Amino acid sequence: MSETISPNTTIAQYRVISKIGEGGMGEVYRARDTKLGRDVAIKVLPAAFSADSERLRRFEQEAQAAGALNHPNILVIFHIGTHDGAPYIVSELLEGETLRERMAGAALPQRKAMDYGLQIAHGLAAAHAKGIVHRDLKPENLFVTNDGRVKILDFGLAKLTGAADVQAQTDIPTRRIDTDPGVVMGTMGYMSPEQLRGKAADHRSDIFSFGAILYEMLSGKRAFRGASTADTITAILREDPPDLSETNKTISPALERVVQHCLEKNPEERFHSASDLAFAIQALSGSATVSAQTVAMAAQLARPRLGKYLPWIVAGVFALASIIMLPFAISSFRRTPARSNVIRAAILPPENANLTALNLFAVSPDGVRLAFVARGASGQAMLWVRPLDALTAQPLAGTDGVSTVLGSSPPFWSPDSRFIGFFAGGKLKKIDASGGPPQTICDAPNGRGGTWNREGVIVFAPNTSGPLHRVSAAGGASTAVTKLDESRRQTTHRWPYFLPDGHHFLCRIGGSSAQNENNGVYLGSLESQEQRLVLRADTSAAYASGHLLFAREGTLMAQPFDEKSFQLTGDAFPIAEHLQFDFGGARAIFSVSENGVLTFQSGIARGNTQLVWFDRSGKQIGQVSEPGFYGGPRLSADGQKLAVLIFDPQAGGTDIWLYELSRNVPTRFTFDPAFETFPLWSPDGSQVVFVSNRKGPYDIYQKPSSGAGSEEVLFESNEGKATTSWSPDGRFIAFVNTDTKANTKQDLWILPLFGDHKPFPFLQTPFNEFGAQFSPDGHWIAYVSDESGSNQVYIAPFPGPGGKWQVSRGGGTEPRWRGDGKELFFLASDAKLMAVDVSAKELTLEIGNAQPLFDAHVATSPGTHYDVTRDAKRFLIDVSTEGSSVPITLVVNWTADLKR
């Protein structure tokens, strides 16, 4: 652009406030998002981008790819567009400084450099997993926020700048813009040898650039810098940088070897992936977990200079010995819990099994066994138990069907460590930790946590919304033990945790939205429904060893807590960094015993579902997405587009994304930080309906599918809602209404889109009804009810009156119609996709016998998991993937760290 944009200029929905930087790659402005009420950064690129249509096309492709990266260590892209002929990018507005400014020509402390390096490696790993390479990684493109989080900036722009743009500085959409006059040398000094030779740059080029940056953080000097550009190129191609130990005698030899491994001239000799790089750095961190694999890796890296690095190898062997002796250590710990040393180890998944993403696990109160969820060779998620003084784990038969979706509940133990409580199939169940048949305790459609006291009382959350309930561990009907406070906009009570007296418990209370200022950890009681705020933090919490444990901004914290007065009595201390957090349920991924055993999961949680195409025989014929966190896939009527919800770990919410299936290109459709879910297409494809909890309860919204218009509230109330189907004539929307105050559980309602728009009930009974689907002619509704004691598929006339016809026999959910209405599909209780012929004759139906098509391998979670094309020749299914590669960290005697 030739002229600076004036304040108060409106670009799309953004009102420009002020200019905050400029350079060769354009100008950066602070702006206000007038729709969402937040400040953003707008980078306006030179108009020359638009003059070249091919360049503009590449810019849009790269920006869309960068916008699909949702990771805490990558700048969030909100929007792209064109203003007065110049392309622009809208991103989050960061507060802080560039890494170049943070270093200020001096070395960083080793621990801080490793922390920054680990965050950068995690961000690169997430981008590389999506097939996106940065190509211009340098300190100017790394931003350190005021809270210490590193953000990678400008993904994709490096590919857009040709050779003529090498000297152009890449600007940063923040308040502070680096203007280092040595930017040419700086950029050149971080390029890989293959880039300088004009060869294709892949993810290993980013690893080389990373190595140069880590070297500079540790030494305060650039790895490659000559008196001229030619000298710098020669150094990169032919020379090794001076040893780090020459400038900093305190540098760990193994860490120096990691840097050297990144800076190998031959890409084949570098780390094979950013994930491996992150693992190596974490292995060398003083706070990292240690496994035999980790020690072996460190020793392998150190081998070329064995004599020099011998002390580090000895330390690694000592760590390995700690793991080999772990069974003995655990046994000794049961007898002498007062010892002062801390033991750390990594618990890997069982052989031929995988842990689930954002894993579900619980250590027993006596600290002897760990219960966790894993997928075995069958692909089914089930409970496993591992004695911590053994090297193997055993699956518990009968526990398959345990939910693994975002927000799902981990198992919980009885106080004597004999039984495990868990949620599966819409029920709260228990099972002997040594094996045996599970026993059903009571109904729990979508469990969100449970806790068990010594008097045999279980307090649990039966649903995603509503109060906590209590029930006898022997089984029976449950009753509410807490009450929602509507004056504080409470919609959910979850994650209860009994305190030692067995009568008071902690729980997370608040609105469904993470934006509710009243969210926090509260104290509840079996004797009273009174609530007392303990900690204003939107997280699950636990009590052990005189401390309250909870999550704060990705760190596991411990704060002294008086179990008698129920008051916090001291400052909070960090005990584990980079803690995984399930934003879908506001749950911190950790568990703690009564005697000092802590387990948690850190690092990056890889998504555990994937959108895949199948034909009628069950043959996989294509895929739409890489592994991620997906749900509720819905095809447009013409089969050309897809609406699906995607969980964003950074924002802590779900948004609706739209795919053009011909190209499998996703476009973000909703932008609110709350949870948007259950998308539906209008019959003509011009509108998308969804529900959002941005105001507390889940309300129904509508927005043009083009994304150009504004969102419109169709229906709001104090009850939870889930949209399920849009009638073929466009006049009605079917939705599930959940009234926590009534005794009717989940009911089917109809929202008319004409007249007074007043909803009316279609089915309102003492049972759960959900999953309503209009037939293609609009005269019938297929739905699911548990009136028989299990979920079954039925068909009833619309709008009625009339009888109903049962379609499934051994259980069924998620009915879907073929385009001509002559066939109905549903998921059986064993996850097989079933098909049944349907013939309508005036006011009656003829229904054939259901036939299995194939095993759908759907994700074990509530909600919807598949959709079918009109000709019923293809099925798009949200399938479970292999799971998480992130181990569970075990810490024995964790409280000893608090005394240091």
Side-chain angles (χ1 to χ4, degrees):
M1 294 196 60
S2 58
E3 296 183 2
T4 297
I5 298 175
S6 302
N8 294 319
T9 300
T10 299
I11 301 177
Q13 68 192 56
Y14 310 100
R15 178 174 54 82
V16 173
I17 298 175
S18 62
K19 183 177 179 179
I20 55 177
E22 64 180 313
M25 283 295 292
E27 299 176 336
V28 185
Y29 297 86
R30 183 189 184 107
R32 185 69 173 174
D33 186 332
T34 57
K35 289 186 177 180
L36 298 180
R38 61 184 174 188
D39 285 354
V40 298
I42 300 182
K43 173 181 286 187
V44 183
L45 278 65
F49 273 82
S50 292
D52 185 335
S53 59
E54 176 60 20
R55 200 180 203 191
L56 180 61
R57 184 186 66 81
R58 286 189 288 121
F59 160 75
E60 292 175 344
Q61 288 180 344
E62 290 291 314
Q64 287 176 353
L69 296 174
N70 293 313
H71 190 272
N73 299 120
I74 298 176
L75 180 75
V76 178
I77 302 297
F78 295 137
H79 182 71
I80 63 172
T82 303
H83 176 73
D84 289 345
Y88 66 84
I89 303 175
V90 181
S91 69
E92 62 179 323
L93 182 71
L94 302 179
E95 303 283 355
E97 59 188 344
T98 67
L99 181 59
R100 172 73 67 209
E101 293 170 319
R102 177 61 60 91
M103 291 189 295
L108 298 177
Q110 178 174 317
R111 186 174 181 85
K112 182 62 68 176
M114 292 177 68
D115 176 42
Y116 290 169
L118 183 60
Q119 293 187 59
I120 298 167
H122 283 325
L124 289 176
H128 294 169
K130 297 282 188 179
I132 301 174
V133 180
H134 194 288
R135 302 180 184 87
D136 192 25
L137 201 64
K138 56 188 178 183
E140 290 82 358
N141 278 339
L142 297 168
F143 196 84
V144 183
T145 64
N146 289 336
D147 61 358
R149 177 169 292 180
V150 179
K151 293 275 190 175
I152 306 176
L153 313 179
D154 286 347
F155 263 103
L157 287 183
K159 186 176 181 180
L160 303 175
T161 59
D165 297 321
V166 168
Q167 298 186 16
Q169 179 183 345
T170 301
D171 303 306
I172 298 163
T174 62
R175 292 189 177 200
R176 303 181 63 178
I177 303 300
D178 184 71
T179 55
D180 180 10
V183 68
V184 176
M185 303 303 295
T187 299
M188 187 67 66
Y190 305 98
M191 295 174 70
S192 66
E194 58 269 25
Q195 285 177 288
L196 293 176
R197 293 189 174 101
K199 297 182 179 180
D202 61 14
H203 65 279
R204 295 169 298 183
S205 296
D206 283 350
I207 291 175
F208 184 92
S209 301
F210 172 91
I213 294 168
L214 184 56
Y215 180 97
E216 188 170 343
M217 285 195 289
L218 292 168
S219 69
K221 301 180 181 298
R222 300 194 184 187
F224 307 101
R225 185 164 188 170
S228 66
T229 300
D231 291 340
T232 302
I233 293 175
T234 299
I236 293 174
L237 293 177
R238 301 179 182 176
E239 301 173 7
D240 290 329
D243 288 346
L244 283 169
S245 56
E246 293 181 7
T247 58
N248 190 338
K249 300 297 184 181
T250 65
I251 294 296
S252 158
L255 178 59
E256 182 171 8
R257 183 56 187 157
V258 168
V259 176
Q260 293 170 344
H261 199 43
C262 293
L263 294 176
E264 295 285 356
K265 308 299 184 185
N266 183 356
E268 296 293 334
E269 297 178 7
R270 298 174 202 148
F271 284 97
H272 289 183
S273 70
S275 295
D276 291 344
L277 172 58
F279 190 75
I281 296 174
Q282 191 168 11
L284 301 176
S285 170
S287 62
T289 60
V290 183
S291 68
Q293 274 185 310
T294 300
V295 177
M297 178 184 292
Q300 180 67 29
L301 292 174
R303 189 169 296 148
R305 302 180 182 180
L306 182 62
K308 184 176 180 181
Y309 297 165
L310 185 59
W312 180 254
I313 297 175
V314 171
V317 171
F318 176 80
L320 177 59
S322 296
I323 293 167
I324 294 174
M325 295 297 290
L326 182 60
F328 172 77
I330 296 293
S331 298
S332 299
F333 178 67
R334 292 202 299 268
R335 293 191 298 270
T336 58
R339 74 173 190 280
S340 60
N341 61 302
V342 179
I343 294 179
R344 294 179 174 85
I347 297 180
L348 301 177
E351 186 176 1
N352 299 321
N354 289 284
L355 302 176
T356 61
L358 297 171
N359 196 252
L360 307 166
F361 56 84
V363 64
S364 59
D366 60 10
V368 172
R369 290 183 285 189
L370 182 74
F372 60 92
V373 176
R375 297 184 188 278
S378 67
Q380 288 288 329
M382 58 194 310
L383 283 180
W384 296 62
V385 172
R386 172 177 170 170
L388 294 179
D389 58 358
L391 297 177
T392 59
Q394 298 298 323
L396 295 180
T399 61
D400 48 320
V402 61
S403 176
T404 61
V405 71
L406 292 166
S408 293
S409 174
F412 59 96
W413 288 83
S414 62
D416 59 5
S417 300
R418 287 187 53 204
F419 294 92
I420 302 170
F422 66 100
F423 299 91
K427 307 289 184 181
L428 171 61
K429 301 181 179 183
K430 68 177 181 181
I431 189 170
D432 193 301
S434 301
Q439 304 171 50
T440 296
I441 297 175
C442 64
D443 289 339
N446 291 303
R448 291 298 183 266
T451 185
W452 194 327
N453 74 5
R454 298 185 184 279
E455 297 175 0
V457 175
I458 293 177
V459 171
F460 70 105
N463 263 308
T464 56
S465 59
L468 296 174
H469 281 225
R470 63 177 291 173
V471 68
S472 168
S478 68
T479 57
V481 71
T482 62
K483 183 179 180 181
L484 298 180
D485 185 346
E486 295 182 359
S487 68
R488 297 182 179 179
R489 296 185 292 138
Q490 293 180 3
T491 60
T492 177
H493 295 177
R494 57 180 62 178
W495 313 131
Y497 196 95
F498 269 120
L499 292 174
D501 66 8
H503 291 267
H504 292 87
F505 51 84
L506 304 169
C507 63
R508 182 261 182 179
I509 290 182
S512 298
S513 170
Q515 310 307 310
N516 190 335
E517 68 276 8
N518 293 310
N519 291 357
V521 177
Y522 285 75
L523 179 74
S525 170
L526 294 178
E527 284 74 33
S528 169
Q529 294 185 334
E530 179 184 356
Q531 306 167 7
R532 182 199 297 184
L533 178 66
V534 174
L535 178 71
R536 196 171 297 283
D538 195 27
T539 174
S540 59
Y543 172 84
S545 305
H547 290 79
L548 185 74
L549 278 71
F550 60 95
R552 175 182 289 164
E553 297 180 352
T555 299
L556 181 60
M557 309 293 292
Q559 188 165 359
F561 181 79
D562 188 333
E563 64 179 84
K564 304 297 184 182
S565 65
F566 312 115
Q567 299 286 337
L568 295 168
T569 59
D571 295 330
F573 295 90
I575 56 176
E577 297 180 350
H578 307 297
L579 180 73
Q580 287 194 12
F581 192 84
D582 183 353
F583 287 95
R587 180 177 66 89
I589 313 301
F590 78 95
S591 175
V592 64
S593 75
E594 296 174 351
N595 57 354
V597 176
L598 170 68
T599 55
F600 64 90
Q601 201 170 25
S602 60
I604 301 173
R606 187 180 67 179
N608 62 347
T609 71
Q610 187 172 13
L611 301 170
V612 179
W613 284 108
F614 295 86
D615 64 15
R616 287 182 70 100
S617 68
K619 178 183 177 181
Q620 182 175 331
I621 56 176
Q623 68 182 47
V624 173
S625 70
E626 297 299 321
F629 297 106
Y630 305 96
R634 298 306 294 257
L635 297 169
S636 59
D638 60 8
Q640 300 301 308
K641 294 184 178 181
L642 167 72
V644 64
L645 69 90
I646 301 179
F647 174 69
D648 180 349
Q650 178 168 337
T654 56
D655 280 295
I656 307 300
W657 289 66
L658 305 184
Y659 280 77
E660 290 185 31
L661 292 176
S662 61
R663 299 186 297 144
N664 285 356
V665 175
T667 301
R668 187 171 175 176
F669 184 66
T670 63
F671 296 87
D672 195 274
F675 286 78
E676 279 77 40
T677 184
F678 295 108
L680 294 177
W681 293 90
S682 63
D684 62 3
S686 65
Q687 304 286 325
V688 173
V689 156
F690 59 93
V691 299
S692 173
N693 68 344
R694 60 190 64 173
K695 295 181 180 180
Y698 281 91
D699 296 322
I700 302 176
Y701 292 77
Q702 177 179 275
K703 182 180 179 181
S705 59
S706 64
S710 59
E711 298 170 353
E712 172 190 2
V713 179
L714 291 183
F715 177 57
E716 56 186 358
S717 68
N718 292 328
E719 291 79 38
K721 294 164 284 294
T723 47
T724 62
S725 185
W726 202 321
S727 66
D729 60 9
R731 290 165 54 82
F732 303 98
I733 291 175
F735 67 96
V736 177
N737 190 79
T738 304
D739 189 347
T740 58
K741 297 179 181 179
N743 296 320
T744 57
K745 300 182 179 179
Q746 294 178 315
D747 301 313
L748 295 181
W749 284 66
I750 305 296
L751 174 65
L753 300 180
F754 56 90
D756 60 5
H757 291 69
K758 184 177 181 179
F760 59 89
F762 177 71
L763 278 175
Q764 193 172 27
T765 74
F767 309 105
N768 288 299
E769 294 91 17
F770 54 96
Q773 298 292 304
F774 286 104
S775 63
D777 63 8
H779 296 157
W780 307 90
I781 285 183
Y783 66 96
V784 181
S785 173
D786 64 357
E787 63 182 70
S788 67
S790 61
N791 290 329
Q792 302 288 354
V793 177
Y794 299 84
I795 299 177
F798 177 78
K804 63 178 183 289
W805 288 259
Q806 184 172 333
V807 177
S808 60
R809 296 186 182 277
T813 59
E814 297 190 51
R816 294 287 186 273
W817 295 89
R818 195 170 74 188
D820 59 6
K822 295 182 179 180
E823 193 173 25
L824 188 72
F825 306 95
F826 64 90
L827 289 176
S829 57
D830 59 359
K832 283 187 170 58
L833 188 65
M834 310 293 288
V836 59
D837 292 330
V838 179
S839 177
K841 293 184 178 180
E842 295 183 357
L843 298 179
T844 188
L845 291 175
E846 291 184 3
I847 300 175
N849 292 322
Q851 301 296 324
L853 295 182
F854 58 89
D855 190 338
H857 296 291
V858 296
T860 307
S861 63
T864 57
H865 306 86
Y866 81 101
D867 208 352
V868 58
T869 58
R870 288 184 62 84
D871 61 7
K873 293 182 179 180
R874 294 185 302 151
F875 299 85
L876 184 63
I877 302 178
D878 184 23
V879 301
S880 294
T881 56
E882 58 196 43
S884 171
S885 60
V886 181
I888 299 171
T889 299
L890 170 70
V891 183
V892 179
N893 198 25
W894 65 270
T895 55
D897 278 341
L898 299 177
K899 303 173 184 177
R900 295 178 181 176

